């Protein structure tokens, strides 16, 4: 190996040879790229000083896709060639997107290879990963132009409620764009990182992140450079886009006439977004909506706008209250509320946040740029080094299906990551030489209320009596929130491992639905779980009794056997009902009636073990008292 020799004082820093790393906020409406040097982050801007890159892509007949402001201008002339709000489709399948099809300004292709949803634009069939990669390429090009050097590494932010499928899709899009993802960071955590380092903040902070397509609320503890997420909640289908749709529907209702085309819907949405942005700083205005080749004037004032969007804003404050209650925190304990996302510029939103937390929110860092600044700081930390530690959390519990369809949670939700936890499981039947593991995610007590992640089988378990085998199942979640599960039989060392590779057909808003349902049905779920556990225990007792009667029929007198048979039939009949107490009582009665039979079997086993052996031999093998 040859040594690299440099002149004194000219030795490059390790990160300089590896290349600079950038921070990217890949947003629903706008995206931002930033870089950090010596702990100071800055947004990389274009020649006109604009930091925001509209997350809009236009696909011309020939040539490369057009991204950003130029694509947004194309929307006015050729709306059918333009894609926007693609982030709402990341990690989704065609089946899940059907509910959104009426609100999306492009056509969904129902059947796609691999389960990933595709869209059709100007005769092209495109995946959300491909469109997002075009946006990321534009951000990469802006960074390289501003820095005058090649850029191939980045920290990319994602909503806290992005599931494994959406996170994997984001990483794939970056790879297609020629970027290595150093880490996926939750957007609220990135925002807190920007505020924490700039302000040297300590204490509890809430991050209210209302972007174009998602809403997240996170409670973080900031202390001596450690950012720990205590609780998180949100709605992955709630954002500024919903404000725009409400305004657009208001405009179309005022105009009337035939149903608009897809292109006219895009133009109306663009007008609605413009009206919303204008009313952030003015009280009223008038705009033009083009329908059926005619321009229709529409007027909107701020009170009307606030009436249209009030239900969406109220939903965000409901989530704020739920997350604080889950974390056991009162609003008075919050040291500050950080605003993230362009939708937080709306005056009604700021008033609602101030009311919910009892204090004015922090907004001295541009809410459109704060996430990218935090991502840039984390990129510098991962390449150069930092005293800052990010502790994100798992958004939903991870567990294993056990007998009866019950979920045994191995990693509870809101557990800091990265994390590795193990739990022992055992066999259900005598002689069982394999186990099928079903990995699930969710908050409900039974499998049918959770989401399936993966299935794998462990073979090679030595045949033993039920409950004798010891199988250690280990869940490991890395810093990006991606899961690996392994199982090992402790006596033989038989081992199986699976990386959970999500299908793209899973929707991230399922997380929010699961959390809401777990709270609404918590008591019912627990009663159902207890009933299932009672049934599983009853079936175990019936199986054990049947095996014992088959092995030692001579030890069971006829009258006693008849009584046990009657009680077993009674218990079998109860298993089809929902009376848990009756099942438990019948199990106890069956065990009481079988005690004499069990004692005779134990005596027989002892006699067989001692047959042909002297008392001295047995005493010599018996260990003495512990020292």
């Amino acid at each position: 190996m040859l040594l690299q020799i440099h002149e004194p004082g000219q030795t490059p820093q390790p990160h300089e040879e590896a290349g600079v790393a950038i921070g990217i906020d890949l947003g629903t409406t706008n995206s931002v790229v930033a870089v950090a040097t010596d702990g100071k982050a800055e947004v990389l801007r274009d020649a006109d000083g604009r930091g925001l890159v509209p997350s809009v892509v236009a696909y011309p007949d020939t040539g490369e896709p057009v991204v950003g402001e130029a694509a947004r201008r194309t929307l006015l002339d050729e709306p059918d060639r333009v894609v926007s709000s693609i982030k709402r489709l990341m990690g989704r399948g065609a089946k899940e997107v059907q509910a959104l099809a009426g609100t999306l300004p492009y056509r969904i292709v129902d059947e796609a290879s691999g389960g990933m949803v595709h869209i059709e634009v100007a005769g092209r069939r495109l995946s959300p990963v491909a469109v997002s990669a075009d946006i990321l390429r534009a951000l990469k090009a802006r960074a390289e132009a501003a820095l005058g050097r090649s850029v191939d590494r980045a920290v990319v932010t994602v909503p806290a409620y992005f599931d494994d499928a959406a996170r994997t899709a984001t990483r794939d899009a970056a790879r297609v764009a020629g970027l290595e993802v150093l880490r996926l960071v939750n957007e609220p955590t990135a925002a807190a990182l920007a505020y924490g380092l700039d302000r040297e903040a300590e204490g509890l902070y809430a991050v209210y992140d209302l972007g174009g397509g998602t809403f997240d609320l996170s409670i973080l503890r900031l202390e001596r450079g450690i950012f720990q997420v205590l609780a998180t909640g949100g709605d992955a289908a709630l954002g500024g886009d919903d404000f725009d749709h409400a305004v657009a529907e208001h405009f179309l209702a005022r105009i009337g006439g035939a149903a608009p085309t897809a292109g006219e819907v895009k133009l109306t949405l663009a007008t609605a977004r413009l009206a919303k942005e204008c009313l952030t700083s003015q009280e009223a205005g008038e705009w033009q909506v083009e329908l059926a080749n005619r321009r229709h004037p529409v007027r909107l004032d701020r009170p009307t706008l606030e009436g249209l969007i009030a239900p969406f804003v109220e939903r965000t404050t409901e989530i704020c209250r739920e997350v604080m209650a889950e974390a056991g925190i009162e609003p008075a304990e919050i040291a500050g509320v950080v605003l993230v996302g362009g939708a937080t510029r709306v005056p009604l939103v700021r008033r609602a946040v101030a009311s919910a937390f009892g204090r004015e929110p922090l907004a001295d860092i541009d809410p459109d740029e704060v996430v990218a600044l935090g991502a840039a700081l984390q990129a510098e930390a991962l390449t150069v080094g930092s005293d800052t530690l990010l502790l994100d959390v798992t958004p939903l519990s991870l567990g294993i299906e056990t007998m009866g369809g019950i979920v045994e949670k191995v990693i509870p939700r809101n557990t800091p990551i990265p994390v590795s936890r193990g739990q022992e499981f055992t066999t259900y039947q005598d002689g069982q030489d394999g186990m099928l593991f079903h990995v699930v995610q969710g908050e409900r007590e039974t499998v049918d209320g959770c989401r399936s992640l993966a299935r794998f089988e462990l073979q090679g378990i030595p045949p033993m009596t039920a409950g004798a085998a010891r199988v250690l199942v280990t869940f490991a979640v890395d810093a990006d929130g991606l899961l690996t599960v392994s199982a090992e039989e402790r006596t033989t060392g038989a081992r199986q491992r699976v990386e959970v590779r999500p299908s793209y057909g899973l929707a991230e808003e399922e997380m929010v639905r699961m959390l809401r349902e777990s709270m609404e049905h918590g008591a019912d779920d627990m009663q159902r779980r207890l009933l299932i556990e009672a049934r599983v225990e009853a079936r175990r007792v019936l199986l054990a009794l049947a095996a014992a009667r088959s092995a030692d029929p001579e030890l069971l007198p006829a009258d006693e056997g008849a009584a046990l048979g009657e009680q077993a039939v009674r218990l079998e009949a109860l298993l089809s009902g929902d009376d848990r107490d009756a099942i438990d009582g019948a199990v106890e009665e069956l065990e009481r009636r079988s005690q004499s039979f069990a004692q005779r079997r134990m005596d027989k086993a002892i006699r067989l073990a001692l047959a042909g052996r002297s008392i001295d031999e047995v005493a010599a093998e018996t260990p003495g008292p512990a020292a």
Side-chain angles (χ1 to χ4, degrees), residues 73-238:
R73 289 193 295 270
T74 303
L75 182 63
L76 300 175
D77 300 320
E78 298 179 281
D80 294 337
R81 295 189 176 277
V82 179
V83 179
S84 60
S85 299
I86 196 63
K87 186 174 176 178
R88 283 197 158 194
L89 300 187
M90 291 292 275
R92 295 174 184 247
K95 183 178 179 181
E96 285 72 25
V97 171
Q98 286 174 358
L100 286 173
T103 64
L104 294 173
Y106 30 71
R107 194 172 80 83
I108 302 298
V109 180
D110 291 334
E111 296 182 2
S113 60
M116 189 192 305
V117 69
H118 282 56
I119 62 174
E120 190 171 288
V121 180
R124 303 188 192 189
R125 182 166 161 167
L126 301 166
S127 72
V129 168
V131 179
S132 297
D134 289 332
I135 299 171
L136 287 166
R137 275 194 204 93
L139 296 171
K140 179 176 184 288
R142 172 175 289 193
E144 290 177 338
L147 299 174
R149 61 190 303 180
S150 174
V151 173
D152 57 9
R153 295 183 299 169
V155 167
V156 182
T157 62
V158 292
Y161 266 75
F162 255 19
D163 64 6
D164 286 345
R167 290 170 187 266
T168 300
T170 302
R171 184 183 287 276
D172 289 347
R175 186 180 298 115
V176 172
L179 288 168
E180 174 194 354
V181 177
L182 298 175
R183 184 172 176 184
L184 296 174
V185 176
N186 287 347
E187 290 166 2
T189 310
L193 179 59
Y195 267 96
L197 291 186
D198 286 354
R199 304 168 63 90
E200 299 182 354
E202 300 266 327
L204 296 177
Y205 278 76
V207 181
Y208 179 101
D209 183 354
L210 185 60
T214 59
F215 170 68
D216 293 314
L217 189 283
S218 297
I219 307 294
L220 304 96
R221 186 186 304 279
L222 280 63
E223 185 176 6
R224 296 181 180 179
I226 298 177
F227 293 66
Q228 182 177 5
V229 181
L230 301 182
T232 186
D235 191 328
L238 173 65

Side-chain angles (χ1 to χ4, degrees), residues 350-373:
R350 297 203 173 186
R351 295 201 306 271
V353 172
S355 174
F357 291 94
R359 66 180 62 250
E360 289 297 322
L362 301 173
D364 49 324
I365 298 181
D366 189 327
D368 281 316
E369 298 180 352
V370 62
V371 169
L373 294 173

Side-chain angles (χ1 to χ4, degrees), residues 512-524:
V512 183
R513 176 185 57 78
M514 289 176 181
L515 291 176
R516 189 177 300 118
E517 288 180 354
S518 73
M519 291 183 282
E520 293 172 352
H521 305 292
D524 293 340

Side-chain angles (χ1 to χ4, degrees), residues 540-551:
R540 185 195 65 78
V541 171
L542 289 170
L543 283 172
L545 177 61
R549 295 184 68 169
S550 176

Side-chain angles (χ1 to χ4, degrees), residues 469-493:
R470 290 290 176 265
V471 179
L472 176 65
V473 177
T474 303
F475 280 53
V477 182
D478 66 15
D480 292 329
L482 303 179
L483 171 66
T484 301
V485 182
S486 62
E488 180 181 6
E489 205 288 309
R490 306 302 290 272
T491 59
T492 64

Side-chain angles (χ1 to χ4, degrees), residues 367-384:
D368 281 316
E369 298 180 352
V370 62
V371 169
L373 294 173
L377 290 167
Q378 180 64 5
E380 185 188 32
L382 293 174
T383 53
V384 180

